[in-house]
Amino acid sequence: MGKRRAVLVPGQGYDTRGPLFAYAGEALRRIGFDIDEITWRAPADLDLDRAASWVVEQVAPALAEPAHLLVGKSLGSFAAPFAADRGVPAIWLTPLLHRAEVTGALARATAPFLLVGGTADPSWDGVAARRLSPHVLEVDGADHSLLLPGPLARSAEVLGMVCTAVEEFLGGAGSGG
């Protein structure tokens, strides 16, 4: 059997070369995943009411072959229905928990998923996150990019926290077999 395949789904202004994906991707490689990265340039006028269908159009070709894990950031969390429909474990970085399309898909997911967000992010809802999944990393004071105010070293520490959460999640229920 070959390696497991993880598909990385970017955000609107945060592509898969960003630090969260770079470090999460390295954690995945070390665990034994092959990484496929979706690249896109979201239209500047893309509003959230049209975003779900736009994301589906972008993600569908990458999921023509089976994936063992989805990792999505922000706008990429509109791919949650794919994970739910296919029973694929997922990691959602700063998911749009204020959007019913995302929380509805997460609520019906049968595979485990990790939710990562910050309390200073208006898209994050810690109460909803903990209701939806036992796998939650909530960073006090972090914004939508999981950056903290103050010395940048504090934000770099958050990257380490995300890596640890990914490794722990995939070492347990989220390993996908």
Side-chain angles (χ1 to χ4, degrees), residues 80-81 83-90 92 102-113 132:
D85 293 345
R86 297 172 187 205
V88 176
W92 303 112
V102 174
T103 57
L106 295 175
R108 65 184 172 78
T110 57
F113 55 90
L132 290 164

Side-chain angles (χ1 to χ4, degrees), residues 147-158:
L147 295 173
L148 292 169
L152 193 53
R154 292 182 59 220
S155 296
E157 290 171 8
V158 172

Side-chain angles (χ1 to χ4, degrees), residues 65-109:
E65 350 176 346
H68 301 93
L69 180 71
L70 289 183
V71 181
K73 165 85 172 84
S74 184
L75 183 68
S77 66
F78 280 119
F82 283 107
D85 293 345
R86 297 172 187 205
V88 176
I91 298 168
W92 303 112
L93 306 168
T94 67
L96 303 180
L97 296 181
H98 67 298
R99 297 296 300 193
E101 305 96 310
V102 174
T103 57
L106 295 175
R108 65 184 172 78

Side-chain angles (χ1 to χ4, degrees), residues 14-172:
Y14 197 100
D15 69 25
T16 57
R17 296 170 297 178
L20 288 169
F21 280 115
Y23 280 87
E26 181 59 25
L28 294 173
R29 281 184 206 70
R30 290 179 182 203
I31 293 168
F33 280 89
D34 282 333
I35 308 295
D36 285 337
E37 301 176 20
I38 294 176
T39 57
W40 66 37
R41 176 168 287 183
D45 63 346
L46 183 66
D47 64 54
L48 288 180
D49 292 329
R50 293 185 309 125
S53 61
W54 185 85
V55 168
V56 166
E57 290 173 14
Q58 307 307 306
V59 173
L63 295 179
E65 350 176 346
H68 301 93
L69 180 71
L70 289 183
V71 181
K73 165 85 172 84
S74 184
L75 183 68
S77 66
F78 280 119
F82 283 107
D85 293 345
R86 297 172 187 205
V88 176
I91 298 168
W92 303 112
L93 306 168
T94 67
L96 303 180
L97 296 181
H98 67 298
R99 297 296 300 193
E101 305 96 310
V102 174
T103 57
L106 295 175
R108 65 184 172 78
T110 57
F113 55 90
L114 170 65
L115 299 173
V116 178
T119 61
D121 177 359
S123 300
W124 178 254
D125 181 337
V127 171
R130 288 182 287 282
R131 181 179 49 28
L132 290 164
S133 176
H135 309 284
V136 175
L137 171 61
E138 182 175 76
V139 182
D140 189 41
D143 66 12
H144 193 61
S145 294
L146 292 179
L147 295 173
L148 292 169
L152 193 53
R154 292 182 59 220
S155 296
E157 290 171 8
V158 172
L159 289 173
M161 294 168 59
V162 172
C163 289
T164 298
V166 166
E167 291 165 340
E168 289 176 353
F169 173 71
L170 293 173

